[in-house]
């Protein structure tokens, strides 16, 4: 037999018992050719293009998933940051486009479409400021549209004016979606060093250097890594890293295979595999559980950052060899509400925003799905965003903030969105003021490590 | 060659000209759609490597688990024989009371599509009270071989 008995059983165990799935196959579509001075024509162009290219996206993904017996959790779409092709539009026109995007997403059967975005790390164009102003309206009047704004890069520094505006946008979005526990904010990400080929919604978009269309894959598999660590028993950290590497290799290979096949079926060039361990609220599918299996009493204990750094690095090392094109975020995600183990740690008071911030120095994303009191002042939110951006800017890495000031809720309350978004207690935020610092406005200059030439 | 918007526009204008007074939006849409479909089916759609998308041929791996009892192997293999699937390798173990079997099957000459074969096997699995998985061989090749 060309395969060992154990190898075949291992694969079956991964898919059937350990929640191994491909988290997302995301179809990136360029909308740069869809501009028209007439809004109605532009809307038609956008709608038709998305429907034409993504017509069979869900069907093809399901077909490949059934042949290989590996489920694909999400089929999604990312588009060119909308402010780029439609820079001459006003807020109300952007809002109309958002409704069209929502309709197109519904038509092709994807649960999220991301790219209601702007890249403003160095300053705003007229269109970008109009788009940003429309974000709270767009997120509260659509179901499937996701938005992201890049406010900082290592090469440009941090646009504090944009950070300040985004903090107000976040608060406004929270209020406009207060009926659903401020769910609008779960669809809005503020980035530093945003990757252009990230397949993971809500922060996905189809970057300006990308081709006409492309298919990117985000792998998952915390459950598989967790099981491998549990089975390893009491071994030293070097051996543990080896085990994580081997597991990451296998799950990335599966991701690469699935991505290539879906791309081939749809006749779309294959883009990248994103080597991220993405948790879900399902029991056992948690990054926190992995860290605890490595030997911490709870996430948040001293040593958490070191354990996470090792996990993240081992996943990358294993995944790197498994795929020809690696991109996107590529790092472990540590969302609070979307990871049952993280939520538990917050409930028990083991995890603070400050510890989360430290953890984001060594893994991808940043403060993700963190729920804070609804009465948090905008300056405090801006301070939190600026801190995350600083980590990203200085360390040449992507960081992001997806923070939810749950409208009308206080520390001790809870929000529950259900599904993949999960639930979370409200986390306390420091009451110290950063108002004067942020109200200075302007841009923090690019750091010395941006001068690499 | 790709079908660009210009080509579609040209087809549309020609159609409207041809139809003259009879042109209605629905009719034009129908005719243009048909023309475009015909063009796309004639043109090899792009220049990157043509993949092997025929999932209904090649080798698949069947795995069966469950409490051991008589008739499992025969029920599965008779379905496979019925559809002209060629069993190329088979390995089977019984651990305590549990039966585990793995088969490598060539379905290139099979008289059935992958998904239909799966449905038939699922019915057998239900009857025998065991679990059966079938997966294309590529997934094992990718995950366990460099």
């Amino acid at each position: 037999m060309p395969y060992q008995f154990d190898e075949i059983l291992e694969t079956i165990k991964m898919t059937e018992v350990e929640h191994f799935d491909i988290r997302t196959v995301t179809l990136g579509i360029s909308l740069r050719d869809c501009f028209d001075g007439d809004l109605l024509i532009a809307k038609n162009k956008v709608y038709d293009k998305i429907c034409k290219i993504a017509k069979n996206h869900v069907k093809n993904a399901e077909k490949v998933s059934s042949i290989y017996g590996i489920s694909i959790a999400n089929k999604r779409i990312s588009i060119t940051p909308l402010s780029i092709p439609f820079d001459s539009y006003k807020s109300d026109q952007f809002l109309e486009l958002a409704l069209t995007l929502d309709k197109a997403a519904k038509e092709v059967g994807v649960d999220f479409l991301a790219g209601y975005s702007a890249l403003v790390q160095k300053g705003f164009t007229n269109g970008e400021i109009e788009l940003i102003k429309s974000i709270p309206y767009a997120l509260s009047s659509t179901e499937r549209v996701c938005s992201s704004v890049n406010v900082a890069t290592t090469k440009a520094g941090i646009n504090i004016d944009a950070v300040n505006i985004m903090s107000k946008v976040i608060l406004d979005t929270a209020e406009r979606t207060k009926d659903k526990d401020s769910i609008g904010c779960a669809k809005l990400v503020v980035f530093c060093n945003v990757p252009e080929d990230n397949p993971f919604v809500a922060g996905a978009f189809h970057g300006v250097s990308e081709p006409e269309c492309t298919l990117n894959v985000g792998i998952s598999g915390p459950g598989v890594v967790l099981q491998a660590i549990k089975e390893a028993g009491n071994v030293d950290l070097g051996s543990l890293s080896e085990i994580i590497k081997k597991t990451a290799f296998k799950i990335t290979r599966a991701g690469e295979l699935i991505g290539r096949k879906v791309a081939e079926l749809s006749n779309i060039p294959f883009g990248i595999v994103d080597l991220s361990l993405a948790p879900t609220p399902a029991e056992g599918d948690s990054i926190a559980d992995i860290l605890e299996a490595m030997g911490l009493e709870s996430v948040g204990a001293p040593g958490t950052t070191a354990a996470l750094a090792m996990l993240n690095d081992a996943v990358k090392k294993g995944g790197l060899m498994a795929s020809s094109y690696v991109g996107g975020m590529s790092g472990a995600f540590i969302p609070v509400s979307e990871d049952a183990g993280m939520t538990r740690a917050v409930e028990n008071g083991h995890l603070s925003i400050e510890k989360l911030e430290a953890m984001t120095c060594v893994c991808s994303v940043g403060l993700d799905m963190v729920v804070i009191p609804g009465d948090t002042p905008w300056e405090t939110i801006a301070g939190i965003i600026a801190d995350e951006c600083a980590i990203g800017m200085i360390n040449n890495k992507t960081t992001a903030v997806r923070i939810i000031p749950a409208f009308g809720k206080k520390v001790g309350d809870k929000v529950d969105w259900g599904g993949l978004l999960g639930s979370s207690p409200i986390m306390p935020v420091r009451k110290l003021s950063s108002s004067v610092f942020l109200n200075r406005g302007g841009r923090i200059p690019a750091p010395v490590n941006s001068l690499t030439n | 060659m790709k079908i660009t918007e210009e080509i579609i526009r040209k087809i549309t204008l020609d159609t409207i000209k041809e139809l003259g007074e009879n042109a209605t939006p629905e009719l034009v849409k129908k005719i243009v759609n048909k023309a475009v479909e015909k063009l796309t089916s004639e043109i090899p759609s792009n220049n990157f490597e043509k993949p092997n998308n025929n999932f209904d041929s090649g080798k698949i791996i069947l795995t069966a688990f469950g409490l051991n009892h008589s008739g499992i192997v025969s029920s599965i293999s008779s379905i496979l024989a019925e559809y002209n699937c060629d069993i190329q390798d088979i390995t089977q173990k019984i651990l305590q009371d549990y039966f585990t079997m793995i088969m490598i099957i060539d379905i290139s000459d099979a008289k059935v599509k992958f998904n239909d074969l799966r449905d038939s096997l699922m019915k057998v699995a239900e009857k025998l009270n065991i679990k059966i998985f079938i997966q294309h061989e590529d997934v094992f090749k990718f995950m366990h071989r460099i």
Side-chain angles (χ1 to χ4, degrees):
Chain A
M1 185 164 268
Y3 306 99
Q4 303 291 318
F5 208 82
D6 296 344
E7 291 172 341
I8 291 176
L9 294 188
E10 185 187 356
T11 301
I12 304 262
K13 198 172 88 185
M14 280 183 186
T15 55
E16 299 302 317
V17 186
E18 296 161 1
H19 307 286
F20 174 51
D21 58 12
I22 303 301
R23 180 49 41 81
T24 178
V25 286
T26 303
L27 179 57
I29 303 174
S30 165
L31 295 184
R32 271 149 72 188
D33 55 353
C34 293
F35 175 78
D36 199 287
D38 185 331
L39 177 66
L40 196 67
I41 296 177
K43 274 165 64 177
N44 279 336
K45 280 184 171 177
V46 167
Y47 183 82
D48 289 347
K49 184 159 188 186
I50 292 173
C51 291
K52 191 174 122 200
I53 296 179
K55 183 172 64 179
N56 293 323
H57 181 49
V58 173
K59 202 179 81 191
N60 289 343
E62 275 165 7
K63 182 165 181 192
V64 171
S65 155
S66 119
I67 299 285
Y68 294 117
I70 297 176
S71 75
I72 299 176
N74 301 308
K75 299 97 190 168
R76 289 168 173 174
I77 293 177
S78 65
I79 54 164
T80 309
L82 210 63
S83 63
I84 294 174
F86 300 100
D87 208 22
S88 65
Y89 277 22
K90 297 274 175 266
S91 289
D92 52 336
Q93 291 171 303
F94 278 116
L95 183 58
E96 290 268 328
L97 279 176
L99 298 172
T100 305
L101 292 172
D102 202 38
K103 208 172 96 189
K106 209 171 274 178
E107 171 65 28
V108 298
V110 297
D111 59 349
F112 285 117
L113 181 151
Y116 198 80
S117 305
L119 311 174
V120 297
Q121 58 269 25
K122 217 163 177 183
F124 308 93
T125 64
N126 295 334
E128 281 162 348
I129 199 85
E130 292 289 329
L131 179 124
I132 290 172
K133 276 200 282 184
S134 74
I135 289 175
Y137 302 92
L139 293 181
S140 56
S141 49
T142 61
E143 197 188 325
R144 305 178 190 218
V145 175
C146 293
S147 175
S148 57
V149 175
N150 191 62
V151 296
T153 62
T154 301
K155 288 281 181 192
I158 306 173
N159 183 351
I160 292 291
D161 291 332
V163 171
N164 291 347
I165 292 175
M166 283 314 294
S167 310
K168 293 173 195 163
V169 165
I170 289 171
L171 280 171
D172 194 10
T173 307
E175 187 174 351
R176 282 177 194 282
T177 51
K178 63 182 172 195
D179 309 341
K180 292 185 188 155
D181 281 340
S182 300
I183 199 171
C185 297
K187 300 184 283 178
L188 175 57
V189 192
V190 183
F191 270 108
C192 168
N193 287 330
V194 68
E196 299 213 324
D197 49 7
N198 161 30
F200 286 101
V201 169
F205 65 78
H206 186 74
V208 283
S209 54
E210 297 285 307
E212 186 65 16
C213 57
T214 178
L215 193 120
N216 298 325
V217 172
I219 58 159
S220 169
V224 182
V225 175
L226 174 65
Q227 200 53 39
I229 290 175
K230 278 187 182 164
E231 279 166 19
N234 193 14
V235 296
D236 82 329
L237 293 171
S239 317
L240 200 59
S241 154
E242 195 62 26
I243 288 160
I244 300 171
K245 263 161 63 181
K246 284 183 181 152
T247 313
F249 177 83
K250 287 174 193 160
I251 58 182
T252 309
R253 288 293 283 174
E256 168 108 357
L257 173 69
I258 297 271
R260 284 194 179 277
K261 289 292 172 185
V262 176
E264 282 169 10
L265 264 188
S266 312
N267 232 339
I268 281 168
F270 178 65
I272 55 98
V273 175
D274 188 322
L275 304 178
S276 295
L277 283 185
T280 65
E283 202 49 54
D285 205 20
S286 152
I287 301 292
D289 288 356
I290 296 179
L291 299 176
E292 285 165 18
M294 284 168 83
L296 301 166
E297 186 184 338
S298 162
V299 175
T304 301
T305 312
L308 181 61
M310 190 187 107
L311 169 70
N312 199 37
D313 185 59
V315 168
K316 281 186 210 165
K317 284 175 178 161
L320 206 56
M321 218 186 119
S323 166
S324 341
Y325 297 99
V326 173
M329 305 269 199
S330 287
F333 291 176
I334 47 164
V336 174
S337 75
E338 292 172 340
D339 182 317
M342 297 287 282
T343 313
R344 202 167 47 234
V346 171
E347 266 164 9
N348 296 334
H350 297 324
L351 199 53
S352 66
I353 289 187
E354 286 75 14
K355 186 66 188 175
L356 275 171
E357 193 180 303
M359 291 165 75
T360 65
C361 299
V362 298
C363 72
S364 75
V365 205
L367 293 176
D368 195 15
M369 296 302 282
V370 173
V371 192
I372 58 171
D375 61 359
T376 310
W378 72 261
E379 292 96 333
T380 302
I381 296 178
I384 292 172
I385 296 174
D387 282 347
E388 269 307 310
C389 289
I391 291 172
M393 174 179 79
I394 297 293
N395 296 301
N396 273 315
K397 72 187 289 297
T398 303
T399 47
V401 176
R402 180 157 57 143
I403 199 163
I404 298 110
F407 190 83
K409 302 224 168 176
K410 301 182 298 293
V411 175
D413 294 343
K414 234 185 134 165
V415 294
D416 191 351
W417 298 290
L420 277 178
L421 294 176
S423 65
S424 171
I426 315 289
M427 290 181 80
V429 178
R430 281 188 189 268
K431 297 257 190 274
L432 303 170
S433 166
S434 28
S435 166
V436 176
F437 175 68
L438 289 152
N439 275 311
R440 286 172 186 269
R443 181 160 57 91
I444 296 183
V448 67
N449 57 355
S450 69
L451 304 175
T452 49
N453 299 336
Chain B
M1 185 182 131
K2 268 169 77 181
I3 303 205
T4 59
E5 269 192 29
E6 276 75 69
I7 298 176
I8 298 176
R9 199 163 295 135
K10 191 169 176 302
I11 296 172
T12 315
L13 289 175
D14 287 349
T15 315
I16 295 171
K17 220 182 194 174
E18 191 91 348
L19 288 171
E21 300 233 312
N22 299 327
T24 63
E26 292 78 34
L27 193 58
V28 174
K29 199 173 164 192
K30 205 174 129 196
I31 293 174
V32 173
N33 273 344
K34 219 175 241 173
V36 172
E37 236 166 62
K38 191 156 168 254
L39 277 174
T40 35
S41 62
E42 278 167 7
I43 304 165
S45 51
N46 64 39
N47 43 16
F48 57 90
E49 205 184 321
K50 196 70 198 154
N52 169 25
N53 279 334
N54 191 359
F55 294 119
D56 297 321
S57 78
K59 286 183 196 164
I60 61 166
I61 293 189
L62 178 151
T63 319
F65 306 94
L67 271 179
N68 188 36
H69 55 82
S70 60
I72 298 181
V73 179
S74 96
S75 309
I76 295 174
S77 52
S78 63
I79 289 270
L80 296 172
E82 189 186 318
Y83 290 129
N84 213 21
C85 301
D86 180 22
I87 302 174
Q88 299 202 321
D89 206 336
I90 174 166
T91 157
Q92 187 227 308
K93 273 182 193 167
I94 293 182
L95 297 167
Q96 286 152 359
D97 289 336
Y98 283 91
F99 166 90
T100 311
M101 177 178 71
I102 294 168
M103 280 178 171
I104 298 185
I105 303 158
D106 190 338
I107 56 165
S108 302
D109 299 323
K111 289 183 284 189
V112 66
K113 290 219 178 293
F114 183 91
N115 281 336
D116 299 334
L117 178 63
R118 178 204 304 270
D119 293 344
S120 307
L121 286 167
M122 287 306 133
K123 275 184 210 141
V124 175
E126 210 172 296
K127 214 164 70 191
L128 294 172
N129 199 18
I130 58 169
K131 283 202 160 202
I132 299 180
F133 303 102
I134 59 171
Q135 286 162 293
H136 206 275
E137 182 202 33
D138 286 354
V139 69
F140 300 96
K141 206 188 274 174
F142 255 72
M143 286 176 87
H144 300 288
R145 297 288 175 271
I146 297 178

